[in-house]
Amino acid sequence: MAPVHILLVEDNEGDILLTLEALHEGTLSIEVSVVKDGQDALEFIAQSGSYQYAKDPDLILLDVDLPTLDGYDVLRNIKSNVKTSNIPVIMLTSGSNRMLRDSDYGSVTTVQKPVDPADFKRVINAVELFWATHQPNTGKT
């Protein structure tokens, strides 16, 4: 089975490191790409600019508070594009942002980032466990 390719869109270095550590401690075979702002996320997903050889993500972990374009703008673009609208997206929020309803953008999950590093890792492990048990058919073998 091919590794699950996760695109992490996050500008906070501490959150990037915690997320990567938690993901690599899990049981899934994963490959993670990281971009740090909304514009780079859109270019990565569209495979344009410096990301023309980027691999399509199976899952996107998308921070809400991003430079250039916020997570809501990125999400709107992802979900309005036929090529990318079926990619599962998990919005990561510090909690001060409005939570998304499923009807806002289709099937999107919002997860509040805990402040405590151990709790943060538990949340990312829960995301990974959810993915492992509910993985859609991506056509990968």
Side-chain angles (χ1 to χ4, degrees):
M1 182 178 209
V4 175
H5 182 222
I6 299 172
L7 174 60
L8 174 61
V9 185
E10 173 64 68
D11 63 320
N12 181 298
E13 280 297 325
D15 288 351
I16 292 169
L17 293 173
L18 281 172
T19 302
L20 292 175
E21 187 177 328
L23 288 170
H24 289 295
E25 287 176 358
T27 58
L28 281 182
S29 174
I30 62 164
E31 179 181 335
V32 182
S33 298
V34 178
V35 295
K36 296 182 179 182
D37 69 49
Q39 187 60 46
D40 281 349
L42 292 181
E43 289 180 15
F44 186 100
I45 293 163
Q47 298 170 324
S48 65
S50 60
Y51 300 103
Q52 65 182 349
Y53 300 108
K55 186 176 175 186
D56 290 331
D58 298 308
L59 173 67
I60 300 171
L61 300 178
L62 177 60
D63 186 29
V64 170
D65 294 317
L66 294 169
T68 65
L69 294 171
D70 71 16
Y72 298 116
D73 291 331
V74 174
L75 180 64
R76 244 185 313 280
N77 185 285
I78 292 168
K79 294 303 179 180
S80 67
N81 183 322
V82 173
K83 180 182 180 251
T84 59
S85 64
N86 289 328
I87 300 172
V89 177
I90 297 176
M91 299 289 287
L92 303 172
T93 178
S94 61
S96 61
N97 305 295
R98 76 175 178 87
M99 299 301 258
L100 295 171
R101 299 176 315 233
D102 280 344
S103 60
D104 285 342
Y105 299 99
S107 182
V108 175
T109 302
T110 305
V111 175
Q112 186 170 351
K113 294 187 221 175
V115 176
D116 179 79
D119 290 338
F120 188 96
K121 288 172 84 173
R122 276 192 283 278
V123 165
I124 296 302
N125 289 142
V127 166
E128 184 182 35
L129 178 62
F130 176 82
W131 177 263
T133 58
H134 294 88
Q135 183 176 358
N137 181 7
T138 60
K140 291 184 175 187
T141 56

